[in-house]
Amino acid sequence: MAVHYISIIIRIYEYVKRFIRIYEFSSICTRKVVGFVTISQRIFHILKEKRLTQKDFSLSSGISESTISDWKKKGTNPAADKLSVIADSIGVSLEFLITGKEKSSSTELTVDEQELLTYYKELSDIHKGIVIGEAKTLSEQYKTQLKEPKNTIFIEFYDLPASAGTGVYLDNCNKDMIEVEDTPLNAAANFALRVSGDSMKPRFHDGDMVLVESRPTVDLGEVGIFIVNGEGFIKEFGGDRLISLNSDYDDIILCEDDSIYCKGKVIGVL
């Protein structure tokens, strides 16, 4: 649902940008361009229409003010490799910059786009700014999510939970390989398993998939996977006991006769 909402907002944002370009230059697009015999003359006319200074244009295009002034004084045109940058910086298409002609909105916009822009035009200037700002923010967030997939690695995953069953589970139960993102934390894990129950809330929750680094012991205060008298637990090590973080559950007191060993330290959650 969130991705669908974001995609709709992105569409609105793109349509709004196209509308603004068409709307602001509709008067230019419908006029004859008699007298605009050079590209540079057309640029200065657009700057005037947009109420932009040469300094504004220089900052947005990256072209020096002295170069821009030379176009006007000497009647020269910009270099061909700069035209695309110039068109973007002053908000017109490359076609219009070169020819002085632009496609009309009726041929560029679909019925859905026209409807969206109708709603946009009915907004106040403040609300138009809000729509554009929010859409731009969501668009950037969505584009970040769509970047190329990151490198991945495979780690072992036990198909039975840590807090139930016997120690045989981790030794002999079915296990699979799962693909995870190649991060330092994931790479440090030797295996993963799922938490069952809520005795370790609020740090770990029922259904969490925890990452475990294999080791025979853990330090006081660290959370590990323990097998006590054949039963598996995810608990905080307290020396003479295994501690439940949820106060609704009792700690497990360790006795001399207990069979206990550690399978590893819990280092994170997938």
Side-chain angles (χ1 to χ4, degrees), residues 187-230:
N190 298 107
F191 63 92
L193 46 77
R194 197 174 303 280
V195 175
S196 176
D198 59 359
S199 66
M200 292 299 286
K201 289 176 61 178
R203 185 172 176 185
F204 302 101
H205 299 81
D206 184 34
D208 279 352
M209 191 181 297
V210 295
L211 297 165
V212 184
E213 177 187 356
S214 296
R215 57 167 65 180
T217 61
V218 295
D219 294 332
L220 285 173
E222 293 182 332
V223 176
I225 303 299
F226 303 94
I227 308 300
V228 181
N229 298 327

Side-chain angles (χ1 to χ4, degrees), residues 3-267:
V3 172
H4 178 66
Y5 170 74
I6 292 174
S7 66
I8 293 175
I9 293 296
I10 291 173
R11 286 184 61 198
I12 294 175
Y13 174 56
E14 295 299 329
Y15 299 157
V16 166
K17 288 200 301 183
R18 293 171 67 185
F19 164 74
I20 291 174
R21 178 178 294 179
I22 293 165
Y23 183 78
E24 290 183 342
F25 291 98
S26 59
S27 60
I28 299 176
C29 298
T30 56
R31 295 177 192 169
K32 292 182 179 180
V33 291
V34 176
F36 294 164
V37 294
T38 67
I39 293 175
S40 60
Q41 287 177 325
R42 187 170 295 114
I43 291 172
F44 291 117
H45 179 82
I46 294 171
L47 293 178
K48 182 178 179 181
E49 291 279 335
K50 291 277 289 181
R51 297 182 180 178
L52 295 173
T53 65
Q54 291 185 26
K55 183 176 181 180
D56 295 331
F57 177 41
S58 175
L59 291 174
S60 63
S61 65
I63 300 171
S64 67
E65 289 187 62
S66 61
T67 299
I68 296 170
S69 295
D70 282 344
W71 300 341
K72 194 168 189 178
K73 294 176 182 177
K74 301 178 181 179
T76 55
N77 285 324
D81 61 351
K82 298 292 185 181
L83 295 181
S84 181
V85 172
I86 292 171
D88 288 340
S89 68
I90 59 178
V92 298
S93 68
L94 183 59
E95 179 183 0
F96 180 78
L97 180 63
I98 296 173
T99 67
K101 297 179 181 179
E102 187 76 272
K103 293 180 180 179
S104 67
S105 61
S106 60
T107 59
E108 279 194 354
L109 302 181
T110 66
V111 173
D112 288 342
E113 292 171 346
Q114 292 279 11
E115 182 179 4
L116 288 170
L117 294 179
T118 297
Y119 297 143
Y120 174 80
K121 287 189 287 185
E122 293 174 352
L123 298 175
S124 67
D125 289 342
I126 293 177
H127 288 104
K128 286 178 182 177
I130 292 174
V131 168
I132 294 174
E134 292 295 327
K136 185 175 182 180
T137 299
L138 290 173
S139 175
E140 292 302 320
Q141 292 174 352
Y142 186 62
K143 289 175 182 177
T144 299
Q145 296 174 6
L146 296 180
K147 287 182 178 179
E148 293 183 3
K150 297 181 180 179
N151 294 332
T152 59
I153 58 174
F154 289 87
I155 60 175
E156 291 183 349
F157 172 68
Y158 290 92
D159 60 5
L160 290 175
S163 60
T166 67
V168 177
Y169 284 171
L170 296 183
D171 294 328
N172 299 323
C173 76
N174 292 329
K175 57 186 176 182
D176 201 355
M177 301 297 292
I178 58 173
E179 187 176 11
V180 297
E181 184 181 337
D182 186 9
T183 65
L185 180 64
N186 291 342
N190 298 107
F191 63 92
L193 46 77
R194 197 174 303 280
V195 175
S196 176
D198 59 359
S199 66
M200 292 299 286
K201 289 176 61 178
R203 185 172 176 185
F204 302 101
H205 299 81
D206 184 34
D208 279 352
M209 191 181 297
V210 295
L211 297 165
V212 184
E213 177 187 356
S214 296
R215 57 167 65 180
T217 61
V218 295
D219 294 332
L220 285 173
E222 293 182 332
V223 176
I225 303 299
F226 303 94
I227 308 300
V228 181
N229 298 327
E231 295 187 36
F233 299 93
I234 174 173
K235 298 290 180 183
E236 179 183 313
F237 182 56
D240 63 346
R241 67 192 62 208
L242 300 180
I243 301 171
S244 299
L245 300 183
N246 187 339
S247 60
D248 292 337
Y249 292 80
D250 294 331
D251 297 339
I252 299 174
I253 306 300
L254 303 176
C255 303
E256 291 183 1
D257 296 333
D258 287 333
S259 170
I260 175 173
Y261 65 95
C262 174
K263 294 294 293 185
K265 174 186 173 181
V266 177
I267 59 175

